[in-house]
Amino acid sequence: MMLELRRLRLLRELHERGTIAAVADALQFTPSAVSQQLAILEREAGVRLLEPAGRGVRLTDAALVLVEHAEALLARAAVAEADLAAAAGTVAGRARIAGFESVTLRIALPAMQRLARDAPRLRCELIEAEPEEALPALALGDVDLVLGDEWQHQPRRLPAGVDRHELMSDRVQIVLPTRHPAARKHPEAVPLAELAGEPWTTGHPGLGWDEMLRRTCQELGGFEPDVRHRTNDAAISLALVAHGLAVTMLPALPLPARHPGIRLRDIADAPVSRAIFAATRSSDAARPSTQAVLGAVRDTVAELQIQAPA
């Protein structure tokens, strides 16, 4: 029995993603091509691997056994590729970086600019994605490095086989309209309770920004915020504040150096922050491309922290 790793990966992906359409979308194949490759795998294995389930298919017991072996074989192949790249010592190939908007703009893009200069044979690709999507994609091999965040009250559980690399702490500040009474009264830090009656702008439910803002208002200010506006784009929230339509809380990373119409103040009650981190696959630790991308990210963060006081 000869089993090809590429087809084993398709079976593993189907187990993880649930549908042939999802596998095709993730790997940039057509659904018919995925089905054809799985049919070939069935013939190679000599047993039935898929059976009808409604409008889709599901894995048979034999397929689930094969998936367990596929995990081990694919992991071993990844280690072999990484060891080979390390032995060659050449920074080349492809590096797929995933991150949400603010880390993409402030960290990923400058890091990629460094790599274009220092490692011209490395092809860098950027994917905008929230950590909730990007971290599983990293474990599955769809991306190579994730820039993620972790709020104080929302620890992230990383998938198996993924390493976390701490980068920086991102302090949260209150964002007020220029003429807001609290901005005039408090030149440095504002007690949250003074903002209890204000309209707020934050992210969509279920994401870290919204959870942080609500929890902070409840625990430090003693009130439930009146959230009237929701957007995952910090620029839109800043515009709402600048027009006097809302107040908000934002970490420093998405805040521009200058924005007319707003004032930034610390939270007087207690400091609030989030951790910014990078994540890579454990099997890629020795790969020169992984080390180069992680190094460029760390250098970029170091420059950001030097510039922060100004």
Side-chain angles (χ1 to χ4, degrees):
M1 180 173 61
M2 296 291 292
L3 300 177
E4 187 179 299
L5 283 177
R6 181 165 59 98
R7 296 188 186 110
L8 286 175
R9 184 186 177 194
L10 288 176
L11 187 68
R12 193 275 304 270
E13 296 286 336
L14 181 58
H15 178 58
E16 292 284 347
R17 300 181 188 275
T19 67
I20 287 176
V23 174
D25 183 61
L27 301 182
Q28 298 183 2
F29 291 160
T30 63
S32 61
V34 174
S35 296
Q36 289 170 8
Q37 291 299 312
L38 290 172
I40 294 172
L41 181 63
E42 272 195 330
R43 291 198 293 272
E44 291 175 343
V47 294
R48 192 174 184 184
L49 300 177
L50 305 177
E51 58 188 13
R55 296 184 178 181
V57 295
R58 65 185 173 196
L59 275 63
T60 64
D61 290 345
L64 295 174
V65 170
L66 190 54
V67 165
E68 291 184 14
H69 290 288
E71 293 281 1
L73 290 169
L74 290 166
R76 194 63 195 168
V79 171
E81 289 176 3
D83 288 346
L84 185 61
T90 303
V91 180
R94 180 172 66 160
R96 297 157 297 182
I97 303 169
F100 56 94
E101 183 182 18
S102 59
V103 292
T104 293
L105 292 172
R106 300 295 302 279
I107 299 176
L109 294 184
M112 290 170 64
Q113 196 170 26
R114 289 174 183 272
L115 290 164
R117 180 193 66 215
D118 299 336
R121 295 183 59 190
L122 182 65
R123 173 190 170 104
C124 289
E125 300 177 3
L126 179 67
I127 301 165
E128 184 184 355
E130 296 292 330
E132 290 83 359
E133 303 171 77
L135 288 169
L138 175 67
L140 289 173
D142 295 344
V143 299
D144 302 301
L145 181 139
V146 169
L147 293 170
D149 63 349
E150 179 182 79
W151 298 95
Q152 287 178 322
H153 303 291
Q154 287 183 301
R156 289 199 184 276
R157 183 179 177 183
L158 298 185
V162 169
D163 293 336
R164 173 169 166 159
H165 313 272
E166 301 299 334
L167 296 177
M168 61 182 288
S169 177
D170 198 17
R171 181 169 55 103
V172 172
Q173 292 180 288
I174 298 171
V175 188
L176 301 170
T178 300
R179 298 178 181 276
H180 194 283
R184 294 181 174 183
K185 179 181 177 182
H186 304 284
E188 293 184 1
V190 173
L192 270 177
E194 293 190 15
L195 304 177
E198 299 291 336
W200 290 79
T201 174
T202 184
H204 292 294
L207 296 181
W209 178 17
D210 174 65
E211 173 67 19
M212 175 278 297
L213 189 146
R214 287 180 170 278
R215 185 185 291 269
T216 301
C217 288
Q218 293 164 356
E219 294 185 356
L220 299 184
F223 66 92
E224 179 67 31
D226 175 13
V227 176
R228 298 190 192 179
H229 316 289
R230 292 190 179 277
T231 172
N232 287 340
D233 189 335
I236 296 176
S237 278
L238 290 173
L240 285 164
V241 175
H243 283 80
L245 299 173
V247 301
T248 192
M249 281 183 274
L250 275 169
L253 204 58
L255 292 172
R258 294 176 180 273
H259 194 295
I262 70 169
R263 290 290 181 268
L264 303 178
R265 297 292 184 264
D266 287 332
I267 302 170
D269 311 271
V272 176
S273 64
R274 64 174 175 175
I276 303 295
F277 65 89
T280 58
R281 283 185 296 278
S282 306
S283 60
D284 289 347
R287 192 185 291 268
S289 59
T290 300
Q291 294 177 348
V293 175
L294 192 55
V297 165
R298 289 190 186 281
D299 288 345
T300 299
V301 170
E303 280 194 0
L304 279 177
Q305 292 176 324
I306 290 171
Q307 296 167 2

